[in-house]
């Protein structure tokens, strides 16, 4: 457990993976592995948090890794939340529409509060990190939100 470059820590019973300053083709597979390992360690909690507070760059391989981890988590009945403070990475997520797919928050505290408020599967009433309107996941597990 936690033997990779991106170890996770348990915060209030929720696994949190701290992403690096740059996510690109050289480290995206390791980030995805860390997120999957963290999700497995959730012990029935069902939610994992990817903390991108320090991340200043994320290329398409990083986006793919995050989407794959999100898809796997939701398929297993859990969820993945992102911490995306207002920075350049949030802009990439907004332009690509990923901010409408993966629930995101401006701080780790907000993400953790959401997991507490919604029980083991924080799937209700997520709000966008950019302060946009709340959104609700559809029955398929994909968030449908206003732009």
């Amino acid at each position: 457990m936690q033997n990779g470059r991106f170890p996770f820590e348990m915060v209030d019973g929720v696994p949190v993976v701290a992403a690096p300053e740059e996510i690109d083709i050289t480290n995206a597979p390791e980030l995805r592995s860390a997120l999957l390992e963290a999700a497995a360690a959730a012990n029935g909690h069902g939610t994992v948090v990817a903390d991108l507070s320090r991340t200043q760059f994320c290329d398409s391989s990083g986006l793919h890794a995050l989407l794959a981890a999100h898809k796997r988590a939701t398929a297993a009945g859990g969820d993945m939340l992102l911490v995306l403070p207002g920075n350049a990475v949030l802009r990439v997520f907004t332009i690509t529409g990923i901010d409408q797919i993966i629930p995101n928050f401006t701080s780790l505290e907000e993400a953790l509060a959401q997991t507490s408020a919604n029980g083991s599967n924080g799937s209700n009433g997520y709000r966008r990190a950019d302060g946009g309107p709340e959104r609700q996941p559809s029955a398929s597990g994909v968030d449908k939100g206003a732009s």
Side-chain angles (χ1 to χ4, degrees):
M1 185 168 119
Q2 301 190 34
N3 56 7
R5 281 190 353 194
F6 309 116
F8 64 90
E9 64 176 308
M10 299 298 283
V11 180
D12 296 334
V14 179
V16 177
V17 176
E21 288 185 38
E22 294 186 359
I23 306 171
D24 57 28
I25 196 165
T26 64
N27 61 10
E30 289 178 80
L31 177 61
R32 180 174 184 244
S33 293
L35 289 166
L36 296 176
E37 185 178 343
N43 293 330
H45 188 280
T47 300
V48 64
V49 175
D51 186 352
L52 281 77
S53 298
R54 298 179 322 142
T55 306
Q56 298 300 312
F57 176 80
C58 183
D59 74 3
S60 61
S61 60
L63 296 176
H64 179 74
L66 292 166
L67 284 168
H70 171 72
K71 182 178 179 181
R72 187 129 187 230
T74 56
D79 213 342
M80 186 175 80
L81 310 179
L82 299 177
V83 176
L84 284 170
N87 61 26
V89 175
L90 175 58
R91 185 164 191 255
V92 171
F93 279 74
T94 302
I95 290 169
T96 60
I98 293 173
D99 69 327
Q100 298 295 312
I101 297 170
I102 305 176
N104 54 83
F105 302 87
T106 57
S107 72
L108 179 58
E109 293 76 21
E110 287 180 7
L112 293 173
Q114 188 66 36
T115 64
S116 298
N118 291 319
S120 64
N121 185 1
S123 296
N124 296 317
Y126 292 119
R127 63 189 185 88
R128 294 172 24 173
D130 64 1
E134 289 187 359
R135 54 183 188 232
Q136 299 289 330
S138 70
S140 67
V142 177
D143 291 342
K144 304 286 184 184
S147 302

